[in-house]
Amino acid sequence: MGVFDGHGGPACAQVISKRLVDYIAAALLPIETLHKYIQQDPREALVDTFNNRVEILQELKILYERSFRQYLAELANLPHEGYNVPTALEQAIIKIDQDLSKEAVEPYKLNQVINPQTLSVALSGAVACVTHVDGPNLHIANVGDCNAVLGILTEDKEWIAKKITKEHNSENFDELKRIWNEHPDNERKTVIRRDRLLGELAPLRSLGDYRYKWPIEILMKVAVPLIGPKAIPANYHTPPYLTAKPDLYYHRLSTRDKFLILASDGLWDMMTPLQAVKLVGEHMKGKVFFNPLKLPRKNIQLGDINELLLHRKESLKSKPKDRNAATHLIRHAIGGTEYGVDHSRLAHLLSLSPDVSRMFRDDITVTVMYFDSEFLRQCPA
């Protein structure tokens, strides 16, 4: 599962969200299966995707299929060390980022043609937080300023939030040091200005955003004709300034781990990890009342049914408005006050036009993943 947060337009985020899962799945195939898969014609889909609403143009589909075929061939020639999730996640993210560049630049190198569609994908950007769950093994790859937060329930029925990821932004001093060390001392004041990369970009790692990666000569030939001189940032001397290399995290799930929240920075700007975990915890408790009442056993006495109904009536007070926990989080992020959700504020902020809304709230993407405690209980230590 993953969340993808675009900037500088939606193109990069849409394309990454559509293609990255296939790149990861291919990198996880055993070598024999990979060889068989390459020989398939037509090839079947590697993964079933959910919540996948973007449609890619036919000419881009053909181009992306060609890139994917080349990636499969490269994988087949790499030394295989067995099933290695962190390597697969990193390989796939770096490779798809390289392909975004190649798909925009190669036509120009071959016959001086600029494709505005592939160029808009390469020049816009996206941050991503992607997770892979296999039994009790949770791996997360993070590029940029999304976050993954684990909801843990203690034996005393208290909620704990465990923030697994670290954002790549100016609040992460290790990230600032990495960037300063990669460029000459005389750029120290310009490489990070106003808490942004080259004074422009808030996330300090991302996919796409080739305005901060390509050499000046390529920007002059490919980007400047389309978007003008502003295509080259001020103080652009020693590119690349940006990388898509993810940070990788591992967590072994236990029965106390109940869910994982993956969300873009729009959510974390509005609430703390603990607030988010408590809201999902409350939602878990209340959402059972969306289901019809089931009697616990046959031949139950009328008095017991009456007790069940009274208990259900009392509990309905905590029934959430939303069936979906991610929607529940967004409702509280946008409309939340210390006294609860202010629905007039929520309605106002949701109805602002796109050109104005950015001044009041960020876009928010949330996915909540639940873990099966009974399954985790049976996993060998």
Side-chain angles (χ1 to χ4, degrees):
M1 299 196 188
V3 291
F4 307 91
D5 188 12
H7 47 260
C12 184
Q14 288 176 346
V15 166
I16 292 290
S17 67
K18 196 86 174 170
R19 298 170 66 189
L20 181 58
V21 283
D22 286 317
Y23 276 60
I24 294 169
L28 286 167
L29 290 177
I31 191 71
E32 304 79 24
T33 315
L34 178 64
H35 284 298
K36 283 180 192 164
Y37 184 68
I38 289 171
Q39 287 157 14
Q40 281 183 9
D41 188 27
R43 280 202 316 274
E44 61 191 73
L46 273 176
V47 285
D48 292 329
T49 52
F50 298 87
N51 196 16
N52 182 10
R53 297 171 189 168
V54 178
E55 221 14 87
I56 301 282
L57 295 168
Q58 186 57 34
E59 63 183 274
L60 289 180
K61 274 185 189 169
I62 295 164
L63 176 63
Y64 294 160
E65 173 60 23
R66 195 182 314 140
S67 293
F68 188 55
R69 262 202 313 272
Q70 288 170 356
Y71 177 53
L72 291 172
E74 284 172 33
L75 284 173
N77 291 319
L78 284 173
H80 259 60
E81 37 185 272
Y83 185 73
N84 189 318
V85 177
T87 303
L89 289 170
E90 182 169 324
Q91 257 178 9
I93 288 170
I94 288 172
K95 179 59 182 171
I96 200 165
D97 188 56
Q98 291 168 348
D99 281 354
L100 299 185
S101 170
K102 187 182 72 177
E103 288 153 5
V105 171
E106 262 191 2
Y108 181 83
K109 285 183 175 174
L110 289 172
N111 47 25
Q112 273 63 59
V113 170
I114 295 173
N115 181 336
Q117 289 160 339
T118 55
L119 189 59
S120 74
V121 173
L123 293 179
S124 59
V127 295
C129 187
V130 182
T131 180
H132 180 277
V133 186
D134 182 12
N137 301 304
L138 172 68
H139 288 92
I140 294 172
N142 192 47
V143 182
D145 53 11
C146 295
N147 273 312
V149 171
L150 201 58
I152 302 168
L153 191 60
T154 68
E155 288 174 6
D156 301 328
K157 304 297 180 200
E158 292 286 324
W159 285 107
I160 294 173
K162 180 177 180 179
K163 185 163 167 270
I164 295 179
T165 46
K166 272 185 101 171
E167 303 96 322
H168 299 125
N169 59 23
S170 58
E171 291 175 27
N172 180 340
F173 190 65
D174 289 336
E175 197 61 9
L176 292 177
K177 278 198 298 189
R178 177 187 67 79
I179 291 170
W180 286 328
N181 290 338
E182 287 175 1
H183 299 279
D185 284 347
N186 61 1
E187 288 189 61
R188 195 174 173 98
K189 287 182 179 171
T190 56
V191 69
I192 302 287
R193 285 172 53 233
R194 301 190 298 273
D195 292 333
R196 290 169 176 258
L197 186 72
L198 296 172
E200 294 184 3
L201 192 66
L204 302 182
R205 295 191 204 186
S206 72
L207 295 109
D209 280 320
Y210 271 90
R211 284 183 59 227
Y212 308 96
K213 296 176 182 174
W214 280 332
I216 279 188
E217 310 80 70
I218 291 183
L219 284 174
M220 290 291 289
K221 289 171 183 169
V222 175
V224 170
L226 188 77
I227 57 177
K230 67 172 190 211
I232 302 173
N235 305 300
Y236 195 78
H237 307 301
T238 53
Y241 287 90
L242 196 58
T243 179
K245 188 175 189 291
D247 275 344
L248 300 158
Y249 303 88
Y250 172 77
H251 176 82
R252 186 180 168 89
L253 294 165
S254 77
T255 52
R256 293 194 305 136
D257 300 323
K258 300 302 178 187
F259 54 82
L260 184 78
I261 305 169
L262 294 179
S264 63
D265 64 320
L267 182 78
W268 309 116
D269 288 344
M270 311 296 266
M271 63 175 63
T272 66
L274 184 57
Q275 285 171 326
V277 163
K278 283 183 171 176
L279 281 166
V280 175
E282 282 169 22
H283 187 267
M284 278 176 76
K285 190 176 161 189
K287 75 174 179 180
V288 295
F289 299 103
F290 285 119
N291 304 325
L293 174 66
K294 283 185 181 171
L295 297 180
R297 60 186 183 277
K298 286 181 180 176
N299 306 323
I300 188 170
Q301 298 291 315
L302 279 174
D304 293 337
I305 293 175
N306 186 48
E307 246 180 72
L308 266 176
L309 291 171
L310 287 171
H311 173 70
R312 189 176 173 90
K313 186 180 177 185
E314 186 58 31
S315 300
L316 276 169
K317 292 174 185 172
S318 65
K319 176 182 168 181
K321 280 188 175 294
D322 306 291
R323 282 178 174 269
N324 184 304
T327 312
H328 184 67
L329 281 174
I330 293 171
R331 182 184 297 280
H332 281 264
I334 297 175
T337 69
E338 54 191 297
Y339 307 109
V341 175
D342 177 343
H343 289 281
S344 59
R345 169 187 159 86
L346 176 71
H348 175 63
L349 286 172
L350 285 177
S351 59
L352 292 171
S353 61
D355 53 326
V356 177
S357 67
R358 194 66 183 85
M359 299 189 306
F360 297 94
R361 61 167 178 84
D362 196 355
D363 292 337
I364 302 175
T365 301
V366 183
T367 287
V368 181
M369 180 193 311
Y370 295 96
F371 303 118
D372 183 337
S373 301
E374 198 47 50
F375 171 80
L376 292 171
R377 188 172 285 111
Q378 292 167 19
C379 288

